[in-house]
Amino acid sequence: MGDNNYVFISYSRKNEDVVKKIVDELESAGQNVFIDYRDIPPGTVFANEIVNAIEKATCCVLMLSHESNNSNMVLNEVNSAVNHDKMIIPLKLNS
């Protein structure tokens, strides 16, 4: 992602279908979004790309669900967002 004017989406892959719809809605409204499945180049170190994206993001949108609450990756992303002083915006997904 070329600029730093985007929100980072933290979510569980188990919620990917609903998260994709929310990302589409955010982008339709003009918001730039960083989402791993699309914005991490193949062949790069996934964890490094996540940390770099969080560091450059304006904020982090946390897609809350039972699955994300039990995801070590989501926990790591939230920790990284806190460590980089990013605002975390929770969005509760229907279960």
Side-chain angles (χ1 to χ4, degrees):
M1 180 151 280
D3 62 36
N4 293 359
N5 188 22
Y6 61 83
V7 298
F8 178 90
I9 304 295
S10 180
Y11 70 103
S12 167
R13 286 280 173 110
K14 294 177 181 175
N15 302 126
E16 191 168 5
D17 289 344
V18 68
V19 169
K20 283 182 176 183
K21 291 176 185 174
I22 294 168
V23 167
D24 288 345
E25 289 294 323
L26 288 169
E27 291 180 329
S28 291
Q31 178 62 57
N32 292 326
V33 173
F34 182 98
I35 188 82
D36 61 353
Y37 62 81
R38 177 191 67 200
D39 295 318
I40 295 180
T44 59
V45 179
F46 187 84
N48 290 347
E49 293 294 321
I50 292 291
V51 172
N52 289 338
I54 292 169
E55 184 178 7
K56 295 175 185 174
T58 57
C59 66
C60 178
V61 176
L62 172 58
M63 302 292 182
L64 286 173
S65 67
H66 176 73
E67 294 81 10
S68 68
N69 287 341
N70 293 307
S71 168
N72 286 332
M73 182 58 108
V74 170
L75 177 61
N76 290 338
E77 292 168 354
V78 169
N79 283 333
S80 183
V82 168
N83 289 337
H84 289 97
D85 295 321
K86 299 300 175 178
M87 178 187 303
I88 300 171
I89 302 168
L91 179 61
K92 188 173 189 294
L93 304 177
N94 290 332
S95 301

